[in-house]
Amino acid sequence: MMPDRRHFWIWCSALLGSSAVLAAGAEPSAPTAKPVPGMAEILAAAPASAWRPMDDAHTMYLQLPAGRVIIELEPALAPHTVANIEAMVRMHWFDGAAVVRVQDNFVAQWSNPDTTRKLPENLRMLAPEFSAPASAGSFTELPDRDGYAPQVGFINSFPAARDPAIGRVWLAHCYGAVGVGRDNDPATGNGSELYAVIGQAPRWLDRNVTVVGRIRQGIELLASLPRGGGAMGFYATPNENIAISKVAMASDLPAAERTRLEVLRTDTPTYTALVEARRNRTDAWYLRPAGYIDLCSAPLPVRPAP
Amino acid sequence: MMPDRRHFWIWCSALLGSSAVLAAGAEPSAPTAKPVPGMAEILAAAPASAWRPMDDAHTMYLQLPAGRVIIELEPALAPHTVANIEAMVRMHWFDGAAVVRVQDNFVAQWSNPDTTRKLPENLRMLAPEFSAPASAGSFTELPDRDGYAPQVGFINSFPAARDPAIGRVWLAHCYGAVGVGRDNDPATGNGSELYAVIGQAPRWLDRNVTVVGRIRQGIELLASLPRGGGAMGFYATPNENIAISKVAMASDLPAAERTRLEVLRTDTPTYTALVEARRNRTDAWYLRPAGYIDLCSAPLPVRPAP
């Protein structure tokens, strides 16, 4: 903490483990036995089978001025809405799209600001998919209790919740979740207006909106955009909108233009160990392990495909 | 949701209530009886006594290129650390300070990057104040359960937690919390390196770091800064640092240069009603009220002093 030393005070990053911290300049701690390996060691030791490739057929790229935002859609839980979005991408509905709203500690939202265009009738209205039958996805439960749902955990590396009393599952509004804006009529959420969570998890939106996926890379490009000065964080004037120069499905691009990523599987012993390493941190910096992790603080690592 | 209509799909802002939403262009809902007033109505009806002025003696301004960040310190829970920080401000320790780290979904951190300077001996090391005796502040408990602490609630409009078994209270790491960076030695958190939470509440830091206050205005100026490309979100080169042109205590400035704000008191019937309005929203948009609110999603309204 002396001002003449390097900065390395807080190393509980969502992405870096203790090895990375040491690399950043911290002195090694005394060589005492470490009861639980940290996140970096767990990831380094993970077998190839602990990872899965992202599915290019359901991966969407948004090209912002600062780079590519990579969204993985999850058709298992919202099949009609995901299909609607992919149809819109392929008919170039999003040509000319822009980020039109950035509300601090809440969402960044994008759409086609040309309000004179009309979506084809068949894409315009569809039944909401706020939740799905529990059989729609394989649910790995997190033992930690949650205030918003009877059970929380993961489906296919997406944060999710489940209510066994009604046999339903749904994707949860965690940081990076991508959802479908709608009007008061639930059938108006067709996917032409999408948002990503860029703040404290707004879990009260769960089951009020169709969640279609998660930003796997590039969320910081949305989260660092200027906040909108209009009501609810909309940009007050069109020239403040942040242009999205291209929206494409990965599978529609030549291989050379795709970003090949892998996602850590949440239904593996590796993931169980990783969550435990975050629930009870053993880095020398920590004096008091939390003994708990909330759903939206559980890391979901992504790496370039080897 | 038709693309030829105005954007107003998601109105569960942390700051705006249903009145603001209607102003943003939503059609009024049918004139049915509204069982619970929304946040805007509750704030509009609040008596003057539901608000308290911010204490200029413990309010710190950071001047960023984009504007003023206003931090209210809470000496009741961390008296020595707050006094240390205020002494550093008054000895101009922070002249030349800069935001040196912005890690996505985690923290923005600032300090004086001139590492050749030495803090005076008497300000350099002090005992950590990770928690305080329960008698240090008046605790208003939130009935909603929490995974990280036996009890959560508010002390003087700061999110806080309490453990009755040990008779201790502490400020919680919610969005906007300001904490004290430190090295492995807990006594190294002297306040010369401060951070603000700009993402999902990192509650696992609670009681591992001294929390000294909360950003009452301007958090978006920190949260929208470019993310650092170095380890743990530090800017990789000094010229990426975001200069802080001035750090001052409000009470040291002429009256005309102060920003006069009021904070909604959390120990009032108004606040209880407001939290309930967020726990169970009655806006026409919502199909399903959450029935719960997590500590760090409870709004803490601030307004210009009338």
Side-chain angles (χ1 to χ4, degrees):
Chain A
M1 193 57 190
M2 299 305 154
D4 56 338
R5 297 175 59 191
R6 290 189 59 187
H7 307 291
F8 53 91
W9 286 278
I10 307 169
W11 51 61
C12 38
S13 143
L15 295 172
L16 299 170
S18 55
S19 297
V21 165
L22 292 174
E27 295 171 55
S29 54
T32 51
K34 221 179 176 184
V36 181
M39 179 158 151
E41 293 94 320
I42 292 168
L43 291 179
S49 61
W51 299 85
R52 68 163 176 82
M54 276 176 53
D55 184 353
D56 282 355
H58 299 297
T59 295
M60 183 165 62
Y61 297 149
L62 308 186
Q63 191 63 38
L64 295 188
R68 177 178 276 184
V69 176
I70 302 179
I71 298 167
E72 189 176 35
L73 301 171
E74 179 41 278
L77 273 75
H80 302 296
T81 312
V82 167
N84 221 56
I85 292 168
E86 293 173 358
M88 278 186 262
V89 172
R90 296 207 163 96
M91 65 171 280
H92 296 281
W93 175 260
F94 292 104
D95 286 5
V99 180
V100 295
R101 174 190 189 191
V102 183
Q103 182 168 358
D104 192 63
N105 192 21
F106 192 41
V107 296
Q109 191 166 328
W110 61 96
S111 61
N112 195 319
D114 177 359
T115 57
T116 64
R117 293 170 66 198
K118 300 276 185 211
L119 264 180
E121 194 72 46
N122 66 317
L123 299 183
R124 209 175 290 176
M125 302 283 286
L126 76 165
E129 295 173 301
F130 298 160
S131 66
S135 58
S138 174
F139 188 84
T140 302
E141 190 178 351
L142 197 62
D144 308 75
R145 70 183 191 177
D146 181 76
Y148 289 99
Q151 298 178 341
V152 290
F154 304 92
I155 294 174
N156 197 25
S157 302
F158 292 92
R162 181 166 71 172
D163 185 350
I166 58 170
R168 306 289 292 180
V169 290
W170 58 93
L171 298 187
H173 277 85
C174 293
Y175 194 88
V178 175
V180 169
R182 64 166 175 86
D183 200 347
N184 282 10
D185 179 346
T188 52
N190 57 29
S192 62
E193 186 97 19
L194 296 168
Y195 63 87
V197 172
I198 59 161
Q200 175 73 9
R203 297 280 310 282
W204 58 89
L205 294 177
D206 287 5
R207 292 195 291 167
N208 281 294
V209 188
T210 302
V211 177
V212 289
R214 178 179 171 88
I215 296 182
R216 296 289 188 193
Q217 189 169 291
I219 177 71
E220 73 281 4
L221 304 179
L222 290 167
S224 61
L225 290 175
R227 278 44 180 160
M232 297 185 301
F234 281 95
Y235 289 125
T237 59
N239 66 344
E240 294 171 78
N241 292 343
I242 306 293
I244 301 175
S245 59
K246 183 169 184 172
V247 177
M249 301 308 300
S251 54
D252 292 343
L253 295 183
E257 293 178 27
R258 302 184 195 177
T259 305
R260 297 206 167 275
L261 298 177
E262 292 188 339
V263 178
L264 193 70
R265 294 174 60 120
T266 43
D267 58 352
T268 57
T270 293
Y271 195 71
T272 303
L274 184 143
V275 169
E276 174 54 20
R278 306 298 274 186
R279 188 185 286 120
N280 289 301
R281 303 199 189 209
T282 56
D283 318 43
W285 186 87
Y286 281 91
L287 301 177
R288 196 183 300 270
Y292 173 83
I293 195 162
D294 65 290
L295 173 67
C296 295
S297 292
L300 288 166
V302 171
R303 69 175 187 185
Chain B
M1 193 53 193
M2 299 307 154
D4 56 339
R5 297 175 59 191
R6 290 190 58 189
H7 307 289
F8 53 90
W9 285 276
I10 309 171
W11 53 59
C12 38
S13 145
L15 294 172
L16 299 169
S18 55
S19 297
V21 165
L22 293 173
E27 295 170 55
S29 54
T32 51
K34 219 179 178 183
V36 180
M39 178 157 151
E41 293 95 319
I42 291 168
L43 290 180
S49 60
W51 299 85
R52 67 163 176 83
M54 276 175 53
D55 183 351
D56 282 354
H58 299 297
T59 295
M60 183 165 63
Y61 298 149
L62 307 187
Q63 191 64 37
L64 294 188
R68 177 179 275 183
V69 176
I70 302 179
I71 298 167
E72 190 177 33
L73 302 171
E74 178 44 278
L77 273 75
H80 301 295
T81 311
V82 167
N84 222 54
I85 292 168
E86 293 173 359
M88 278 186 263
V89 172
R90 296 207 165 98
M91 65 171 279
H92 296 280
W93 176 259
F94 293 104
D95 286 5
V99 181
V100 294
R101 174 192 189 188
V102 183
Q103 182 167 358
D104 193 62
N105 193 23
F106 192 42
V107 297
Q109 190 166 329
W110 61 95
S111 61
N112 196 318
D114 177 0
T115 57
T116 63
R117 293 171 66 199
K118 300 276 185 211
L119 263 180
E121 194 71 47
N122 65 316
L123 300 182
R124 209 176 287 178
M125 302 284 285
L126 75 167
E129 295 173 299
F130 298 160
S131 66
S135 58
S138 174
F139 187 83
T140 302
E141 191 178 350
L142 197 63
D144 308 75
R145 68 181 189 178
D146 181 76
Y148 289 99
Q151 298 178 343
V152 291
F154 305 92
I155 293 174
N156 197 25
S157 302
F158 292 91
R162 182 168 69 173
D163 185 349
I166 57 169
R168 304 291 292 182
V169 291
W170 57 93
L171 297 187
H173 277 87
C174 293
Y175 194 88
V178 175
V180 170
R182 65 165 173 88
D183 200 346
N184 283 10
D185 180 344
T188 53
N190 56 31
S192 63
E193 186 96 17
L194 296 168
Y195 63 86
V197 172
I198 59 162
Q200 175 72 11
R203 296 281 308 283
W204 59 88
L205 293 178
D206 287 6
R207 292 195 290 168
N208 280 293
V209 189
T210 301
V211 178
V212 289
R214 178 179 170 88
I215 296 181
R216 296 290 187 193
Q217 189 169 291
I219 177 71
E220 73 280 4
L221 304 179
L222 290 167
S224 61
L225 291 176
R227 276 45 179 161
M232 298 185 300
F234 281 94
Y235 290 124
T237 58
N239 66 344
E240 295 172 78
N241 290 345
I242 306 294
I244 301 174
S245 59
K246 183 169 183 173
V247 177
M249 300 308 300
S251 54
D252 291 343
L253 295 181
E257 293 178 29
R258 303 184 196 177
T259 306
R260 298 207 165 273
L261 298 177
E262 291 189 339
V263 178
L264 193 70
R265 294 173 61 118
T266 44
D267 58 352
T268 57
T270 293
Y271 195 71
T272 303
L274 184 143
V275 169
E276 174 55 22
R278 307 299 276 186
R279 188 185 285 120
N280 290 300
R281 303 199 190 209
T282 56
D283 318 43
W285 186 86
Y286 281 91
L287 301 175
R288 195 184 300 271
Y292 173 82
I293 196 162
D294 65 289
L295 173 66
C296 294
S297 292
L300 287 166
V302 170
R303 69 175 187 184

